[in-house]
Amino acid sequence: MSNRSSFNEFLLLAFADTRELQLLHFLLFLSIYLAALLGNSLIITVIACDSRLHTPMYFFLLNLSLLDLGSISTTVPKSMVNSLWDTRAISYSGCAAQVFLVVFLFGGEFSLLTIMAYDRFIAICRPLHYGTIMGGRACVKMAAAAWGSGILNAVLHTGNTFSIPLCHGNVLDQFFCEIPQILRLSCSESYLREAGALVLSVSLFFGCFVFIVLTYVQIFTAVLRIPSEQGRHKAFSMCLPHLAVVSLFISTAMFAYLKPPSISSPALDLMVAVLYSVVPPAVNPLIYSMRNKELKDGLRKVISWTSFSNGKIDFSL
């Protein structure tokens, strides 16, 4: 890569200059990270262990939790280590790996959220055809397509970004390696190829966003026609958590990558990055389990089974 010889590391944004605030940032991110690990790991365990949850909706939710675990583990731990050791450095290869994983995981997550909207549409608007359309093989292919699209997107953007010569230093105004921040360091006109790739990806994502919106218009139209109040409540309980996750993720991510430079500032960029990269993986398990009775019952079953197993072990000793 043409700009590799100029420097061997990037300098990430420091949250604070004083040692006390650095430790506060470390503890805050540690709490969020542990909450994300616990919540997503519980969802994965419950869905894997409870045979009643072996359905397309929960299969996609399991994949979403895996992507959430990967995405928050890509950005937050490095920022925590930097605050703990009072440093800002990330190696060139580490930055490239971070860009690849961020684009891969977030791209895969967005594709999966689109598939989950389609799954809800078929379940509510075409219930008689649900078993045929959303069979096991079809679900595996859809999930594989989501992961595969993330990989292809990551290869494209990582290759383009790190083939661009950088003329404006190595200081990034972000707590992780984010493509827009790297492009700001590029030589004039040399970033146009990656900017074009970003526009293409954003256009595809916007197309998926329009698909999700139109899907939910049809879903809510169908739900309002359900005569039973209990039926409407069940349908809304399946759709509203997904819609909340989609709204938070898409609105903040699109703002981060499409906002005009005139309104950009380190504080705003940092806040938006935290909202789309740190908050969703931590709150998704809470959002999906809050109104989901089946998931709550599965969690109680796993906890009771674990307690029973521990009790048996203690008794035998």
Side-chain angles (χ1 to χ4, degrees), residues 185-204:
L185 306 179
S186 63
C187 305
S188 61
E189 307 300 330
S190 63
Y191 65 90
L192 291 179
R193 184 175 58 183
E194 172 56 17
L198 279 176
V199 170
L200 175 62
S201 294
V202 169
S203 299
L204 293 174

mmCIF file of all heavy atoms in Angstrom, residues 185-204:
data_model
loop_
_atom_site.group_PDB
_atom_site.id
_atom_site.type_symbol
_atom_site.label_atom_id
_atom_site.label_comp_id
_atom_site.label_asym_id
_atom_site.label_seq_id
_atom_site.Cartn_x
_atom_site.Cartn_y
_atom_site.Cartn_z
ATOM 1 N N LEU A 185 -7.509 12.598 6.063
ATOM 2 C CA LEU A 185 -6.047 12.675 6.044
ATOM 3 C C LEU A 185 -5.476 12.479 4.647
ATOM 4 O O LEU A 185 -4.274 12.603 4.445
ATOM 5 C CB LEU A 185 -5.452 11.597 6.967
ATOM 6 C CG LEU A 185 -5.940 11.578 8.414
ATOM 7 C CD1 LEU A 185 -5.260 10.444 9.175
ATOM 8 C CD2 LEU A 185 -5.668 12.913 9.101
ATOM 9 N N SER A 186 -6.324 12.162 3.674
ATOM 10 C CA SER A 186 -5.832 11.830 2.341
ATOM 11 C C SER A 186 -5.428 13.073 1.564
ATOM 12 O O SER A 186 -5.824 14.198 1.883
ATOM 13 C CB SER A 186 -6.907 11.068 1.569
ATOM 14 O OG SER A 186 -8.043 11.892 1.381
ATOM 15 N N CYS A 187 -4.617 12.852 0.542
ATOM 16 C CA CYS A 187 -4.218 13.938 -0.344
ATOM 17 C C CYS A 187 -5.422 14.408 -1.160
ATOM 18 O O CYS A 187 -6.368 13.652 -1.387
ATOM 19 C CB CYS A 187 -3.107 13.466 -1.290
ATOM 20 S SG CYS A 187 -1.675 12.759 -0.431
ATOM 21 N N SER A 188 -5.383 15.646 -1.598
ATOM 22 C CA SER A 188 -6.498 16.207 -2.340
ATOM 23 C C SER A 188 -6.782 15.379 -3.582
ATOM 24 O O SER A 188 -5.857 14.950 -4.288
ATOM 25 C CB SER A 188 -6.194 17.652 -2.742
ATOM 26 O OG SER A 188 -5.056 17.705 -3.570
ATOM 27 N N GLU A 189 -8.049 15.144 -3.847
ATOM 28 C CA GLU A 189 -8.560 14.402 -4.999
ATOM 29 C C GLU A 189 -8.268 12.904 -4.944
ATOM 30 O O GLU A 189 -8.848 12.147 -5.712
ATOM 31 C CB GLU A 189 -7.999 14.966 -6.324
ATOM 32 C CG GLU A 189 -8.194 16.454 -6.514
ATOM 33 C CD GLU A 189 -9.657 16.847 -6.501
ATOM 34 O OE1 GLU A 189 -10.491 16.028 -6.898
ATOM 35 O OE2 GLU A 189 -9.947 17.977 -6.069
ATOM 36 N N SER A 190 -7.382 12.460 -4.068
ATOM 37 C CA SER A 190 -7.032 11.040 -4.076
ATOM 38 C C SER A 190 -8.077 10.180 -3.382
ATOM 39 O O SER A 190 -8.061 8.956 -3.521
ATOM 40 C CB SER A 190 -5.672 10.829 -3.394
ATOM 41 O OG SER A 190 -5.738 11.213 -2.034
ATOM 42 N N TYR A 191 -8.989 10.811 -2.653
ATOM 43 C CA TYR A 191 -9.988 10.063 -1.915
ATOM 44 C C TYR A 191 -11.258 9.819 -2.733
ATOM 45 O O TYR A 191 -12.196 9.153 -2.252
ATOM 46 C CB TYR A 191 -10.381 10.818 -0.641
ATOM 47 C CG TYR A 191 -11.064 12.129 -0.903
ATOM 48 C CD1 TYR A 191 -12.445 12.204 -1.029
ATOM 49 C CD2 TYR A 191 -10.322 13.301 -1.048
ATOM 50 C CE1 TYR A 191 -13.076 13.414 -1.287
ATOM 51 C CE2 TYR A 191 -10.940 14.507 -1.309
ATOM 52 C CZ TYR A 191 -12.318 14.551 -1.426
ATOM 53 O OH TYR A 191 -12.924 15.751 -1.679
ATOM 54 N N LEU A 192 -11.310 10.320 -3.964
ATOM 55 C CA LEU A 192 -12.559 10.275 -4.722
ATOM 56 C C LEU A 192 -13.020 8.838 -4.997
ATOM 57 O O LEU A 192 -14.218 8.560 -5.012
ATOM 58 C CB LEU A 192 -12.405 11.034 -6.038
ATOM 59 C CG LEU A 192 -12.249 12.561 -5.903
ATOM 60 C CD1 LEU A 192 -12.074 13.188 -7.283
ATOM 61 C CD2 LEU A 192 -13.456 13.162 -5.186
ATOM 62 N N ARG A 193 -12.080 7.922 -5.191
ATOM 63 C CA ARG A 193 -12.471 6.536 -5.473
ATOM 64 C C ARG A 193 -13.194 5.928 -4.282
ATOM 65 O O ARG A 193 -14.255 5.316 -4.428
ATOM 66 C CB ARG A 193 -11.241 5.704 -5.826
ATOM 67 C CG ARG A 193 -11.579 4.275 -6.221
ATOM 68 C CD ARG A 193 -10.348 3.519 -6.676
ATOM 69 N NE ARG A 193 -9.321 3.479 -5.642
ATOM 70 C CZ ARG A 193 -8.124 2.927 -5.802
ATOM 71 N NH1 ARG A 193 -7.798 2.404 -6.974
ATOM 72 N NH2 ARG A 193 -7.247 2.915 -4.817
ATOM 73 N N GLU A 194 -12.643 6.101 -3.085
ATOM 74 C CA GLU A 194 -13.297 5.563 -1.889
ATOM 75 C C GLU A 194 -14.578 6.327 -1.577
ATOM 76 O O GLU A 194 -15.565 5.743 -1.134
ATOM 77 C CB GLU A 194 -12.349 5.609 -0.690
ATOM 78 C CG GLU A 194 -12.977 5.252 0.651
ATOM 79 C CD GLU A 194 -13.654 3.886 0.672
ATOM 80 O OE1 GLU A 194 -13.394 3.053 -0.232
ATOM 81 O OE2 GLU A 194 -14.463 3.667 1.577
ATOM 82 N N ALA A 195 -14.572 7.640 -1.826
ATOM 83 C CA ALA A 195 -15.796 8.408 -1.625
ATOM 84 C C ALA A 195 -16.907 7.888 -2.534
ATOM 85 O O ALA A 195 -18.071 7.775 -2.128
ATOM 86 C CB ALA A 195 -15.541 9.890 -1.885
ATOM 87 N N GLY A 196 -16.537 7.548 -3.778
ATOM 88 C CA GLY A 196 -17.516 6.972 -4.692
ATOM 89 C C GLY A 196 -18.032 5.628 -4.206
ATOM 90 O O GLY A 196 -19.226 5.327 -4.308
ATOM 91 N N ALA A 197 -17.129 4.795 -3.649
ATOM 92 C CA ALA A 197 -17.548 3.503 -3.097
ATOM 93 C C ALA A 197 -18.469 3.695 -1.900
ATOM 94 O O ALA A 197 -19.444 2.950 -1.720
ATOM 95 C CB ALA A 197 -16.320 2.685 -2.692
ATOM 96 N N LEU A 198 -18.179 4.707 -1.088
ATOM 97 C CA LEU A 198 -19.058 5.004 0.045
ATOM 98 C C LEU A 198 -20.441 5.416 -0.425
ATOM 99 O O LEU A 198 -21.454 5.000 0.138
ATOM 100 C CB LEU A 198 -18.448 6.108 0.915
ATOM 101 C CG LEU A 198 -17.369 5.703 1.916
ATOM 102 C CD1 LEU A 198 -16.807 6.933 2.612
ATOM 103 C CD2 LEU A 198 -17.935 4.732 2.941
ATOM 104 N N VAL A 199 -20.487 6.261 -1.445
ATOM 105 C CA VAL A 199 -21.781 6.694 -1.986
ATOM 106 C C VAL A 199 -22.564 5.497 -2.507
ATOM 107 O O VAL A 199 -23.781 5.383 -2.286
ATOM 108 C CB VAL A 199 -21.579 7.746 -3.092
ATOM 109 C CG1 VAL A 199 -22.893 8.026 -3.823
ATOM 110 C CG2 VAL A 199 -21.024 9.032 -2.507
ATOM 111 N N LEU A 200 -21.873 4.566 -3.187
ATOM 112 C CA LEU A 200 -22.530 3.373 -3.696
ATOM 113 C C LEU A 200 -23.107 2.535 -2.555
ATOM 114 O O LEU A 200 -24.267 2.096 -2.608
ATOM 115 C CB LEU A 200 -21.547 2.538 -4.515
ATOM 116 C CG LEU A 200 -22.060 1.179 -5.026
ATOM 117 C CD1 LEU A 200 -23.252 1.383 -5.964
ATOM 118 C CD2 LEU A 200 -20.947 0.409 -5.712
ATOM 119 N N SER A 201 -22.302 2.321 -1.514
ATOM 120 C CA SER A 201 -22.770 1.527 -0.378
ATOM 121 C C SER A 201 -23.933 2.205 0.331
ATOM 122 O O SER A 201 -24.915 1.553 0.709
ATOM 123 C CB SER A 201 -21.621 1.295 0.612
ATOM 124 O OG SER A 201 -20.625 0.486 0.034
ATOM 125 N N VAL A 202 -23.808 3.526 0.518
ATOM 126 C CA VAL A 202 -24.883 4.259 1.182
ATOM 127 C C VAL A 202 -26.163 4.187 0.354
ATOM 128 O O VAL A 202 -27.266 4.067 0.901
ATOM 129 C CB VAL A 202 -24.465 5.720 1.437
ATOM 130 C CG1 VAL A 202 -25.666 6.559 1.880
ATOM 131 C CG2 VAL A 202 -23.383 5.780 2.507
ATOM 132 N N SER A 203 -26.031 4.232 -0.969
ATOM 133 C CA SER A 203 -27.210 4.126 -1.830
ATOM 134 C C SER A 203 -27.882 2.766 -1.675
ATOM 135 O O SER A 203 -29.118 2.676 -1.606
ATOM 136 C CB SER A 203 -26.812 4.341 -3.296
ATOM 137 O OG SER A 203 -26.247 5.624 -3.490
ATOM 138 N N LEU A 204 -27.064 1.708 -1.607
ATOM 139 C CA LEU A 204 -27.628 0.374 -1.388
ATOM 140 C C LEU A 204 -28.294 0.288 -0.029
ATOM 141 O O LEU A 204 -29.390 -0.286 0.113
ATOM 142 C CB LEU A 204 -26.524 -0.682 -1.519
ATOM 143 C CG LEU A 204 -25.919 -0.865 -2.912
ATOM 144 C CD1 LEU A 204 -24.747 -1.836 -2.863
ATOM 145 C CD2 LEU A 204 -26.974 -1.369 -3.897
#
